[in-house]
Amino acid sequence: MTDSINSALFPTYARAKISFERGQGVRLFSAEGEEYLDFMSGVGVNALGHGDAHIAEALHKQVDQLWHVSNVFSIPQAEKLAQRLSEATFADSVFFTNSGAEAIECALKTARHYFFDLGQPERVEVIAFTGAFHGRTLGTIAAGGNPAYIEGFGPSLSGFHHLPPGDIEAVARLVSDKTAAILIEPVQGEGGVGVIEEGFLQDLRKLCDTHGLLLILDEVQTGYGRTGKFFAHEWAGIEPDLMAIAKGIGAGFPLGACLATKKVAKSMVAGTHGSTYGGNPLACAVGNAVLDRVLAPGFIEHVEEMGHVLSWHMHQLMQKYPDLVQDVRGKGLMVGMKITPPVRDVVKRLQDHKLLAVAAGDNVLRLLPPLIITRDHIEEAFEKIDATLAEVAAEDEK
Ligand SMILES: *Cc1c(COP(=O)(O)O)cnc(C)c1O
């Protein structure tokens, strides 16, 4: 095994010294044959767990037929997936990407171009929120506004304002004749699993309607059933004008999408945007198979039910370890516990107990299990978390 100093890869990640060889369901197996319970799903990606037969079959079939053709041809797999997504959501139109950041980039470009087309090219500014995460491209680090991700990378893309979520009056005061859009994650994932109040999302929608602004939702992490609805904004009973999605949509195959209403998408005429790989036959064959599974009767209801079980267990732990667990947050199977010991240490200790979890901002221990988990998996995971916290508590007493 190579450490980051001897690796030929960029040292951009603090990599754990574990590598996996295969996966089945909610389990991952290391090269040494050790078995791990996966409660991070490649950070919210492997929605169907590992080795799902239906998506594997769709991929194999497509591998044998055709991998890639240019988007200058019509791609039936992409047409079909876009059609199905528009039937299942607010959207009329879809642009496929390879990642979440590209989906956000597409949403931002589309918002600006929409106003350009309306003869208001000065409308380029976007109001976004502190604690947000929208990706790692130059545009999306500016949109996210996290100084730690912006510093050292030269002039930042201008036009973004950030303020803490929750205060609609403060947002209203920022709106000017330069504002194009408001951008928000319904649950801030990387920022610490901060659930945005439904009332605030409704107020943002109203504010956008009043001023003719576009509401852009980043559902890259919250989408595709993760919160117990197909998309998290459904909890608030609102609809965006633009929405970026990714993580769950390919369930492990690189795929993202920007969804839009017809009104907004129609300004993106031939030549305004593109992506060589975006929406190629392989990705969309998988995407269609993932959608079959996620939209199957009962699938999303199962997520909601398991979310309640998960939440109950987290509350139990908070009662048992009041000095270690300060807060419990989240929706569906996107949850977190704000803890007092450094979260990265706890994530490491959980790995020693063969449980994979993920750190988030605000010292939150984040759990993003595959959406197919059962009660037994949850109980097993919480035995491991309990044992780990007991260890930490015992050491604190020394
Ligand atoms: C992961 C994530 C992104 C970025 O997605 P990439 O595929 O890494 O580019 C953007 N927004 C949110 C909310 C995310 O969780």
Side-chain angles (χ1 to χ4, degrees), residues 99-102 104 133-136 185 190 218 220-221 246-247:
S99 68
E102 288 169 284
I104 295 285
F133 180 79
H134 299 299
R136 296 292 208 140
E185 297 157 84
E190 307 299 310
D218 181 345
V220 169
Q221 197 165 139
K247 297 197 163 95

Side-chain angles (χ1 to χ4, degrees), residues 38-41 44 193 221 226 310-311 313-314 317 329 331-337 350 355-360 364-370 378 381-382 385:
D38 183 5
F39 266 50
M40 69 183 283
S41 312
V193 200
Q221 197 165 139
R226 176 58 62 187
L310 206 55
S311 168
H313 280 279
M314 291 196 303
L317 277 189
R329 322 168 161 173
K331 235 176 194 162
L333 293 177
M334 179 174 180
V335 300
M337 289 181 278
L350 287 169
L355 178 72
L356 304 179
V358 55
V364 166
L365 178 67
R366 181 169 37 151
L367 303 176
L368 294 166
I378 296 175
F382 276 87
I385 300 171

Side-chain angles (χ1 to χ4, degrees), residues 92 114 205 209 212-214 241 260-267:
D92 308 303
Y114 167 77
R205 178 69 271 176
D209 291 341
L213 311 178
L214 302 178
D241 302 288
T261 60
K262 181 175 266 136
K263 180 182 92 170
V264 176
K266 75 175 195 298
S267 85

Side-chain angles (χ1 to χ4, degrees), residues 60-389:
H60 284 142
K61 203 170 146 226
Q62 193 59 46
V63 162
D64 289 338
Q65 275 180 357
L66 181 65
W67 290 28
H68 178 82
V69 290
S70 164
N71 273 306
V72 303
F73 301 103
S74 79
I75 299 175
Q77 296 83 357
E79 295 283 354
K80 182 177 168 191
L81 185 54
Q83 183 61 36
R84 293 175 73 194
L85 282 171
S86 62
E87 277 161 22
T89 67
F90 74 96
D92 308 303
S93 208
V94 180
F95 183 91
F96 289 113
T97 68
N98 311 286
S99 68
E102 288 169 284
I104 295 285
E105 290 276 351
C106 177
L108 294 171
K109 281 183 72 178
T110 303
R112 286 183 169 188
H113 209 259
Y114 167 77
F115 286 107
F116 175 82
D117 252 23
L118 284 182
Q120 299 174 279
E122 68 286 355
R123 280 198 185 263
V124 293
E125 293 189 357
V126 174
I127 299 172
F129 297 90
T130 50
F133 180 79
H134 299 299
R136 296 292 208 140
T137 61
L138 283 169
T140 56
I141 56 176
N146 182 344
Y149 296 164
I150 293 173
E151 193 189 24
F153 295 104
S156 192
L157 182 66
S158 61
F160 293 96
H161 299 281
H162 295 90
L163 74 185
D167 183 350
I168 193 67
E169 300 300 326
V171 181
R173 280 196 296 275
L174 269 183
V175 173
S176 74
D177 53 12
K178 291 205 182 96
T179 314
I182 297 175
L183 167 65
I184 192 165
E185 297 157 84
V187 182
Q188 292 188 327
E190 307 299 310
V193 200
V195 178
I196 304 297
E197 301 233 345
E198 287 169 20
F200 186 62
L201 292 175
Q202 290 157 358
D203 289 345
L204 290 177
R205 178 69 271 176
K206 279 188 218 133
L207 193 68
C208 286
D209 291 341
T210 306
H211 297 277
L213 311 178
L214 302 178
L215 180 63
I216 308 175
L217 292 181
D218 181 345
E219 293 235 26
V220 169
Q221 197 165 139
T222 52
Y224 258 61
R226 176 58 62 187
T227 70
K229 295 274 187 206
F230 189 31
F231 290 102
H233 65 262
E234 294 167 29
W235 288 110
I238 58 149
E239 289 185 341
D241 302 288
L242 284 156
M243 178 167 75
I245 64 178
K247 297 197 163 95
I249 127 168
F253 200 97
L255 179 62
C258 173
L259 276 62
T261 60
K262 181 175 266 136
K263 180 182 92 170
V264 176
K266 75 175 195 298
S267 85
M268 297 299 275
V269 294
T272 53
H273 195 47
S275 166
T276 299
Y277 285 124
N280 89 356
L282 277 185
C284 289
V286 175
N288 275 299
V290 173
L291 198 57
D292 294 341
R293 295 276 279 109
V294 172
L295 292 183
F299 185 93
I300 292 174
E301 289 77 5
H302 173 77
V303 175
E304 190 187 358
E305 195 187 327
M306 290 303 108
H308 291 307
V309 179
L310 206 55
S311 168
W312 183 85
H313 280 279
M314 291 196 303
H315 280 97
Q316 295 292 110
L317 277 189
M318 186 160 70
Q319 277 177 17
K320 187 165 174 186
Y321 302 101
D323 294 340
L324 297 181
V325 182
Q326 291 174 287
D327 186 25
V328 159
R329 322 168 161 173
K331 235 176 194 162
L333 293 177
M334 179 174 180
V335 300
M337 289 181 278
K338 183 173 164 62
I339 56 178
T340 42
V343 65
R344 277 163 221 288
D345 292 351
V346 172
V347 165
K348 175 80 194 46
R349 282 169 183 271
L350 287 169
Q351 286 171 3
D352 296 338
H353 285 267
K354 306 287 181 281
L355 178 72
L356 304 179
V358 55
D362 202 21
N363 211 54
V364 166
L365 178 67
R366 181 169 37 151
L367 303 176
L368 294 166
L371 305 182
I372 56 165
I373 53 161
T374 63
R375 272 168 206 275
D376 289 349
H377 297 129
I378 296 175
E379 276 160 27
E380 189 182 332
F382 276 87
E383 277 165 24
K384 292 172 187 289
I385 300 171
D386 191 341
T388 303
L389 292 181

